Amino acid sequence: MTRLILVRHGQSQANQKRNFAGQTDSPLTDLGKEQALLTALYLSKNYKVDVVYSSDLQRAYYTGQKIAEKCGVPIIKCQGLRKIFVGEWENKGVKDLLKREDYIVWLTDIYESKPENGETCKDFANRILNTLNEIAIKNPNKTVVVATHATPIRVLESKIRFNNIKAMQDLPWVSNASCSIFNYEKGEWTIEKMDICEHMKDKITRIMDPRETLQEKK
C-alpha cells in the first residue's frame, strides 16, 4: 500500500485578497509561511515520509520545501499538480468574476463550466487523477507527501467517495496547509482522513465556499 498525504499550500496572497489565482504564481503571506512550517513540523514528527512531490507554483512549492527540509527527504517538482488554469479569470477578484456569466456557471455547475481561454474541469480532473496515479505507482509501499492546491484534493475525494467528479461541487474546501491522507493499493484509492489542521491551532484559515459569493451579486 502507498500512502499519499495531500497538503494544500499555506495561505497565499490571492487567498487573502479573495482572488481566483488559478495558475497565477501567487506567493504565500507571512501567515501562510507560518502554516507551512507548522505542517512540516507536524509531518516530520508523526510520519516517516519518503519523498515530497509538489506543484511547481511557488505557494505549493514553498510549502513542500519546508516539509522536505524537516523530513530530510527530496522534493520533486511536478507541473501536473498545478491548480486548474482559468484563462480570463486568472487572479481576478470575486466582485469582478460575479459579472461574468461563465463564472456563474462555475459556481452552479462546475463540471460543465469552462473559463474563457482556460482549462475545462473535465480535462483538469483527468490531469490530476493521472498524475496522482503515476506518483502512487512509482512509489509502492512508501509514504509520499504531495504539496498541491485545494481543487486537486477535491477531485480525488469526489472520485473516491462518489466515483463522480461532478460531486466536487458539493465538497467542502480543506484548510490552508492541511493534510488529507489517501491510500492506494492495487489500483484502488481509499480515504484515511481529511483536512487535518489541528496542529496549526489559532493559525487555521479556510476559504469561503465560492457559491456563497452569489449572495454578493444580489
Side-chain angles (χ1 to χ4, degrees), residues 87-188:
E88 300 303 313
W89 306 354
E90 287 278 318
N91 209 31
K92 295 289 195 304
V94 168
K95 289 183 178 178
D96 288 332
L97 290 175
L98 285 171
K99 299 172 185 176
R100 301 183 62 104
E101 287 305 316
D102 53 356
Y103 180 70
I104 301 303
V105 174
W106 167 273
L107 295 181
T108 55
D109 192 356
I110 190 172
Y111 196 71
E112 296 301 326
S113 72
K114 183 185 185 300
E116 185 178 350
N117 299 320
E119 188 175 20
T120 67
C121 190
K122 180 179 180 180
D123 288 344
F124 162 69
N126 287 334
R127 166 167 64 82
I128 292 299
L129 292 173
N130 288 338
T131 300
L132 293 175
N133 279 324
E134 287 174 8
I135 291 171
I137 291 167
K138 285 180 181 177
N139 294 278
N141 303 312
K142 293 182 180 180
T143 296
V144 180
V145 169
V146 176
T148 186
H149 310 265
T151 315
I153 297 171
R154 293 167 75 212
V155 165
L156 183 56
E157 184 184 4
S158 63
K159 174 66 174 176
I160 296 169
R161 290 195 190 279
F162 307 104
N163 195 31
N164 185 349
I165 303 303
K166 295 181 182 181
M168 66 184 287
Q169 182 80 56
D170 299 314
L171 292 174
W173 295 66
V174 296
S175 311
N176 288 111
S178 63
C179 305
S180 296
I181 305 176
F182 302 88
N183 297 316
Y184 179 90
E185 188 170 20
K186 297 179 180 178
E188 297 294 327

Side-chain angles (χ1 to χ4, degrees), residues 29-69:
T29 62
D30 288 343
L31 174 58
K33 292 177 180 178
E34 289 184 63
Q35 292 169 334
L37 178 57
L38 288 169
T39 294
L41 291 169
Y42 168 78
L43 289 172
S44 66
K45 290 177 182 177
N46 290 280
Y47 296 92
K48 185 183 180 303
V49 175
D50 295 292
V51 63
V52 176
Y53 283 76
S54 177
S55 160
D56 60 345
L57 298 176
Q58 64 176 307
R59 56 191 184 275
Y61 191 71
Y62 181 98
T63 303
Q65 270 189 314
K66 290 300 171 187
I67 295 167
E69 289 169 7

